[in-house]
Amino acid sequence: MLGKKLVTAQKRGETRALCLGLGMVACSMMMYFFIGITIVPSYKRSVWTNESVCQLIKATIREKVHCSYNEGSDDENIFRYPCLEVQVNLTLLGQVVKLYHTEDTVDKNPKCFYIPPNMENYSKVEKLVKTITDNFRKHQTFSCYFDPSRKEESVILKRLYPPEGLSFAFVWPSLMLFGGLLIIIMVKISQYISVLSATQYRTSI
Ligand SMILES: *[C@@H]1O[C@H](CO)[C@@H](O)[C@H](O)[C@H]1NC(C)=O
């Protein structure tokens, strides 16, 4: 009687552990999938892999440019920002090219070096862009990233998607997959052992 209860309790425990393990495996698969469709494309597009030294040629503020997120909207007065254009000498190759803040800037607005993150207050945005321009004039030489294949001519100042970042994104789902598989294997081993001991018990009497 007691033995039967114990066996049922053990079975229930095993089923729960198995569900947990399978759930963890499924969850990690979903995480891999999301990383695959959201983060990986950004990293793949990031061709600016080599570091070099850039020398400022000129940094000029052009006409006010529409916020690219808001293109086609009716109200033309909101969300404009001064467009800072920066040209640098990629000293390694002696080429004069356009400089952008990050990989995202190139995608969103290839006219300007910088896209302000918050555009609601125009005078604040204007001040920010002015500060950036002054900084360039103060520090004329700085490190930058370029595409070694030269398919992409422009250079960027800051990499948002370095390759190390991608492997870091895979750490959590991989840990979860490993944990889930470990639980499943342990349950299977314990089931195997209990079957083995049960048959041994039966043969011994
Ligand atoms: C760019 O830098 C290289 C190396 O410092 C130099 O030889 C070249 O004259 C520069 N080009 C321009 C346009 O300033």
Side-chain angles (χ1 to χ4, degrees):
M1 193 66 193
L2 188 68
K4 205 170 186 185
K5 255 187 194 162
L6 260 174
V7 168
T8 336
Q10 194 189 350
K11 274 233 170 88
R12 210 181 291 145
E14 276 171 358
T15 313
R16 277 183 198 157
L18 211 56
C19 278
L20 178 68
L22 288 173
M24 280 167 79
V25 170
C27 210
S28 69
M29 289 301 158
M30 247 151 38
M31 281 160 90
Y32 279 129
F33 177 72
F34 274 109
I35 290 172
I37 60 169
T38 56
I39 304 179
V40 170
S42 301
Y43 281 89
K44 268 195 161 166
R45 256 187 284 129
S46 181
V47 290
W48 298 265
T49 49
N50 286 29
E51 196 172 353
S52 175
V53 173
C54 281
Q55 237 167 26
L56 184 74
I57 301 281
K58 66 176 183 196
T60 41
I61 295 177
R62 296 242 175 252
E63 82 284 8
K64 292 162 192 175
V65 166
H66 278 284
C67 164
S68 54
Y69 313 106
N70 243 45
E71 236 160 53
S73 80
D74 298 334
D75 198 344
E76 292 201 353
N77 291 319
I78 55 161
F79 299 154
R80 287 170 155 243
Y81 57 97
C83 182
L84 173 62
E85 229 184 62
V86 181
Q87 282 203 319
V88 293
N89 180 359
L90 179 56
T91 51
L92 186 75
L93 306 169
Q95 285 177 347
V96 177
V97 290
K98 275 191 95 159
L99 175 75
Y100 295 104
H101 184 217
T102 65
E103 293 98 331
D104 283 353
T105 323
V106 187
D107 278 348
K108 284 180 184 156
N109 189 350
K111 279 188 208 153
C112 314
F113 162 76
Y114 180 72
I115 300 170
N118 186 354
M119 297 176 215
E120 262 149 56
N121 186 338
Y122 185 78
S123 60
K124 256 192 199 163
V125 168
E126 201 172 24
K127 230 188 221 167
L128 181 64
V129 174
K130 228 174 153 356
T131 312
I132 295 170
T133 315
D134 290 343
N135 262 336
F136 270 121
R137 291 184 182 147
K138 263 183 234 156
H139 312 281
Q140 305 238 332
T141 321
F142 41 86
S143 64
C144 56
Y145 297 93
F146 68 99
D147 174 11
S149 78
R150 303 312 294 143
K151 266 186 203 144
E152 174 64 51
E153 287 210 333
S154 63
V155 291
I156 61 170
L157 190 62
K158 203 177 126 191
R159 291 191 75 185
L160 287 181
Y161 310 108
E164 312 87 77
L166 195 58
S167 45
F168 191 72
F170 280 108
V171 168
W172 283 111
S174 302
L175 279 178
M176 193 177 265
L177 179 65
F178 181 72
L181 288 178
L182 204 66
I183 290 175
I184 293 171
I185 289 169
M186 302 258 268
V187 169
K188 287 290 160 199
I189 288 176
S190 107
Q191 277 173 349
Y192 177 71
I193 288 173
S194 60
V195 166
L196 211 65
S197 59
T199 48
Q200 256 171 13
Y201 179 69
R202 225 174 285 142
T203 48
S204 68
I205 49 169

